[in-house]
Amino acid sequence: MSRKIVVGFDGSEASRRALDFAVKRAKLQGDNILIAHILEWSPYSFLTPSEIEERHRRRKEELERAESAIITPVIKAIEAEGVPVTAMMKYGHIAETICKISESEKAELIIIGRMGTSGLSSRIFGSVAGTLAQIAPVPVTIVP
Amino acid sequence: MSTRATRLFPAVMLSGLLAAAPVAAQTLDDKVNEIFASSTGWFVSFIFSNFPGTSFPWIVAWLVIAATVFTFYFGFVQFRAFPHSIALVKGDYSDPNDAGEVSHFQALATALSGTVGLGNIAGVAVAVGIGGPGATFWMILAGLMGMASKFTECTLGVKYRNEYPDGTVSGGPMYYMTKGFAERNLPGGKVLAVLFAIFCILGSLGGGNMFQANQAHAQIANVVGDYPGWITGVVFAGIVFAVIIGGLKSIASVTEKVVPFMGIIYVGAALIILLMNFQYIGTAFGQIFEGAFTGLGIAGGMVGALIQGFRRAAFSNEAGVGSAAIAHSAVRTKEPITEGYVSLLEPFIDTVVICTMTALVIIITGQLVTDPETGLLVLNEAGTAIQTIDGNSGVALTSAAFSSVFGWFRYILAIAVILFAFSTMISWSYYGLKAWTFLFGEGHAKEVTYKVIFCIFVVIGAAANLGPVIDFSDAAIFAMAVVNIFALYFLMPVVKKEMNSYMSRLRSGEIKKFV
């Protein structure tokens, strides 16, 4: 039975490296890939009345843009290499949402890239890779 | 700046219907004030007229009776559903797949930033300054009852909102009056909606605008020294102009993010002051209870305290006014009633928590002068308000109370007042705009017309005296409540049906928790 690998993907250089790494593995071992695209979102942020009015429309636009600009091109490229691939787009806290997806989709591995920030900002704000390493329910591979 | 003010002056004169003959020696502020007071006086005296032969304004009775009716009709929903409301705001019942939509918390926070503001700082000071400590008791009671009114109007706001194909939504009393009345085969929905929209525009210019500008100016003048009000007005109008017409969203979103923290700092400081003076808390509550039923010597006795308390509570939390129904109607929910449950927290946070903090700090720091022999409050020379230590009233009284403990707090308060005033103006410019487009239709030119009028009133509000401005602000906002509550009586069975259906599904487990 083939394993499912969740790859955190936001279109950045780092996430492309992670995806390339994942595709190579999947090809060798016959795994399939689930691309997780998370849009950072907190239900506890503050909005103005007009932002609230437009929120539903904006959300639709954001999802459509993410699908056409980020997800569809990579799915085509991966399918061309013969690796089975699906994609998911979710709003939420990036690391927590990736964990939830891994659980609900019964994935066996998470692969993510790292931004390579070090020092003060990641000490204060934390990093996705660091958080995942702490809280992930399945093994995590961090691609430098 | 001065050219802008002179260009603006003809508009001010027009709106004032040339009622007053300007005296050559008068300053610009005096002229604005005089024209303003004489042109709005009739409206104010109609709204605040008393029941024949009494000194009890009918509008206060109207609000209190409505809140009482809703409280009983929905079986004390504000207490029974309180825990469920908290669970909804925490997101326990939100479908994770809806993430990215407006959450209950966000709708509540935005509606709160429109109501938490000067009403909580300046309005309470006015209530306690005229009505004495006893006004606090009636204010809290009105806040608790008002939760039921808010519940009713916000449920209807979501239920009858308009959803457009592009995904935007428009809701509020105008829509439940037209659509709700049509659905129930009742006549007159359209007339009510038009009346409400007119009053909502006036309210957006009054309490949502002029009162804010006025008190922001008072607060700045209190810190930096006195200077003409129109200067503050022009600066404020410029910033509001940049945001609502220039589309400078960054200012608005920064304000929206800072305001909640200002609120927390404010309540935190109040709590510290109360803890530092904990030995007087008992005495303060004693004064509040005694004053509520005797007046402790204020003008008008118990009724005077009651009127001040109810008036300021209604002005602060806007329960029954209908404005919150506009703010809450954009939330994403399959069940309109859930937004009703969430919204009932609003009067609680606004009035029962924040307003009470202000009142307690003013009372505990001994700002109100009492006669040591009789224990009664001492009135000022005119006999209209209570003598305060430094003769302060309005926001200056709150500022004096906080500063008597922390000297630096007046600067924090000045910043808080300016930010609260600004966020309230932004919210109300939105409510007013919704009413305006309901009346005149959507369109760029029409919307800009309203927004320009809104900015002009910022200047008028900053230049006029507190008295006429506060009277007009109250009158316009209460006029909204007259129409809104009338409609709520006819539509409350719709809310009850929603409530019963939701509650039975919640009990049967059909509506599940996601967390």
Side-chain angles (χ1 to χ4, degrees):
Chain A
M1 203 190 112
S2 74
R3 300 185 305 167
K4 192 178 260 182
I5 304 174
V6 171
V7 182
F9 187 74
D10 61 359
S12 67
E13 258 318 296
S15 71
R16 278 181 202 283
R17 289 197 296 274
L19 191 60
D20 289 344
F21 181 82
V23 170
K24 260 183 236 159
R25 294 286 134 141
K27 241 183 183 171
L28 289 173
Q29 300 171 351
D31 299 332
N32 58 54
I33 288 179
L34 170 61
I35 293 176
H37 179 63
I38 316 296
L39 297 104
E40 177 89 68
W41 171 260
S42 162
Y44 303 112
S45 58
F46 296 98
L47 304 173
T48 62
S50 30
E51 280 175 327
I52 283 197
E53 181 185 313
E54 289 168 357
R55 187 61 220 155
H56 184 58
R57 196 186 69 203
R58 285 276 162 80
R59 180 180 188 263
K60 245 181 10 201
E61 286 170 4
E62 285 165 9
L63 289 174
E64 279 163 12
R65 201 181 326 131
E67 174 138 35
S68 64
I70 299 174
I71 304 296
T72 316
V74 291
I75 290 217
K76 278 197 184 136
I78 297 169
E79 276 173 346
E81 297 201 36
V83 175
V85 61
T86 47
M88 266 187 154
M89 288 180 291
K90 293 262 184 210
Y91 278 87
H93 182 274
I94 296 174
E96 282 171 12
T97 315
I98 290 179
C99 290
K100 270 184 207 148
I101 291 175
S102 319
E103 274 172 348
S104 67
E105 296 295 316
K106 303 198 171 50
E108 287 183 28
L109 180 63
I110 297 172
I111 298 182
I112 45 151
R114 63 165 195 228
M115 298 304 285
T117 51
S118 60
L120 194 63
S121 70
S122 65
R123 262 172 209 274
I124 296 173
F125 301 110
S127 68
V128 173
T131 315
L132 269 177
Q134 296 281 351
I135 64 170
V138 293
V140 181
T141 301
I142 297 168
V143 179
Chain B
M1 268 185 198
S2 61
T3 52
R4 196 166 187 177
T6 42
R7 252 193 295 137
L8 199 123
F9 195 55
V12 176
M13 294 293 281
L14 268 181
S15 77
L17 299 170
L18 299 163
V23 180
Q26 274 182 324
T27 66
L28 184 64
D29 282 11
D30 287 337
K31 283 179 198 160
V32 170
N33 193 39
E34 196 173 312
I35 294 166
F36 184 76
S38 57
S39 60
T40 57
W42 64 273
F43 180 60
V44 173
S45 34
F46 168 69
I47 292 288
F48 291 117
S49 53
N50 296 327
F51 284 119
T54 66
S55 59
F56 199 91
W58 63 275
I59 184 70
V60 172
W62 174 255
L63 281 166
V64 177
I65 291 168
T68 315
V69 167
F70 299 137
T71 300
F72 281 100
Y73 186 74
F74 295 112
F76 293 90
V77 63
Q78 61 267 61
F79 303 117
R80 286 191 304 128
F82 198 83
H84 186 61
S85 304
I86 305 269
L88 284 168
V89 173
K90 275 169 59 197
D92 291 359
Y93 292 88
S94 310
D95 186 342
N97 289 323
D98 284 345
E101 302 279 10
V102 176
S103 65
H104 284 305
F105 176 87
Q106 284 166 329
L108 178 68
T110 304
L112 265 176
S113 75
T115 63
V116 173
L118 289 170
N120 305 67
I121 300 173
V124 173
V126 171
V128 176
I130 300 174
T136 316
F137 174 86
W138 300 109
M139 197 174 68
I140 295 173
L141 189 69
L144 289 172
M145 308 279 269
M147 291 165 79
S149 308
K150 201 81 138 190
F151 165 77
T152 317
E153 63 189 7
C154 289
T155 304
L156 291 169
V158 176
K159 188 169 168 64
Y160 293 108
R161 65 185 169 187
N162 272 2
E163 291 186 58
Y164 301 107
D166 71 349
T168 51
V169 287
S170 263
M174 303 80 81
Y175 296 93
Y176 58 69
M177 283 163 187
T178 44
K179 287 161 86 176
F181 273 54
E183 190 184 283
R184 308 205 69 213
N185 288 321
L186 294 164
K190 206 102 228 173
V191 180
L192 286 177
V194 168
L195 270 177
F196 177 84
I198 294 170
F199 291 139
C200 181
I201 292 166
L202 290 177
S204 76
L205 300 175
N209 178 341
M210 289 197 293
F211 177 69
Q212 311 295 328
N214 187 283
Q215 289 293 283
H217 169 71
Q219 185 54 220
I220 299 169
N222 184 29
V223 173
V224 304
D226 204 18
Y227 67 97
W230 62 265
I231 297 176
T232 313
V234 169
V235 173
F236 251 76
I239 302 174
V240 172
F241 187 91
V243 172
I244 65 175
I245 302 176
L248 211 63
K249 288 223 168 94
S250 50
I251 296 181
S253 51
V254 167
T255 319
E256 292 297 322
K257 284 167 186 70
V258 177
V259 159
F261 294 104
M262 283 317 242
I264 292 165
I265 290 175
Y266 184 78
V267 173
L271 276 176
I272 292 171
I273 293 175
L274 295 183
L275 285 176
M276 285 165 71
N277 295 286
F278 73 95
Q279 69 269 35
Y280 301 119
I281 292 180
T283 324
F285 272 102
Q287 278 191 324
I288 288 172
F289 282 111
E290 203 187 334
F293 299 102
T294 65
L296 284 172
I298 62 142
M302 169 186 158
V303 176
L306 182 145
I307 290 170
Q308 282 304 325
F310 279 148
R311 247 177 96 156
R312 304 268 48 99
F315 184 69
S316 169
N317 66 40
E318 297 167 15
V321 168
S323 51
I326 303 176
H328 279 281
S329 61
V331 73
R332 207 70 205 162
T333 175
K334 292 170 192 85
E335 305 285 343
I337 200 87
T338 54
E339 202 49 33
Y341 287 131
V342 168
S343 68
L344 63 76
L345 296 174
E346 220 182 291
F348 184 81
I349 298 170
D350 179 280
T351 308
V352 180
V353 177
I354 304 181
C355 285
T356 307
M357 290 289 165
T358 308
L360 282 174
V361 169
I362 293 174
I363 297 165
I364 264 182
T365 55
Q367 296 296 315
L368 307 172
V369 178
T370 48
D371 188 327
E373 281 175 26
T374 58
L376 294 179
L377 296 155
V378 180
L379 297 186
N380 61 8
E381 280 170 28
T384 49
I386 298 160
Q387 185 92 44
T388 53
I389 294 182
D390 300 312
N392 291 315
S393 69
V395 72
L397 177 58
T398 311
S399 183
F402 277 86
S403 307
S404 70
V405 182
F406 304 118
W408 44 265
F409 198 80
R410 53 203 289 241
Y411 303 106
I412 302 256
L413 194 69
I415 297 168
V417 163
I418 293 163
L419 285 172
F420 283 158
F422 186 71
S423 77
T424 306
M425 279 183 193
I426 298 295
S427 293
W428 272 92
S429 74
Y430 177 78
Y431 303 155
L433 183 66
K434 285 282 130 186
W436 184 270
T437 54
F438 178 82
L439 285 181
F440 303 112
E442 317 218 346
H444 188 67
K446 290 168 187 163
E447 292 183 12
V448 169
T449 311
Y450 167 77
K451 290 170 175 174
V452 169
I453 297 174
F454 192 85
C455 290
I456 292 171
F457 270 79
V458 176
V459 182
I460 304 178
N465 279 348
L466 178 60
V469 167
I470 211 168
D471 285 344
F472 175 72
S473 304
D474 284 7
I477 282 182
F478 284 135
M480 289 167 71
V482 173
V483 188
N484 186 44
I485 287 173
F486 186 76
L488 291 183
Y489 283 137
F490 286 98
L491 296 174
M492 63 185 189
V494 178
V495 181
K496 191 155 201 179
K497 223 172 114 191
E498 291 272 335
M499 182 177 85
N500 291 340
S501 144
Y502 178 83
M503 274 302 168
S504 68
R505 279 178 293 144
L506 190 66
R507 267 192 296 266
S508 74
E510 194 184 326
I511 292 167
K512 302 188 288 287
K513 263 192 178 185
F514 285 95
V515 179

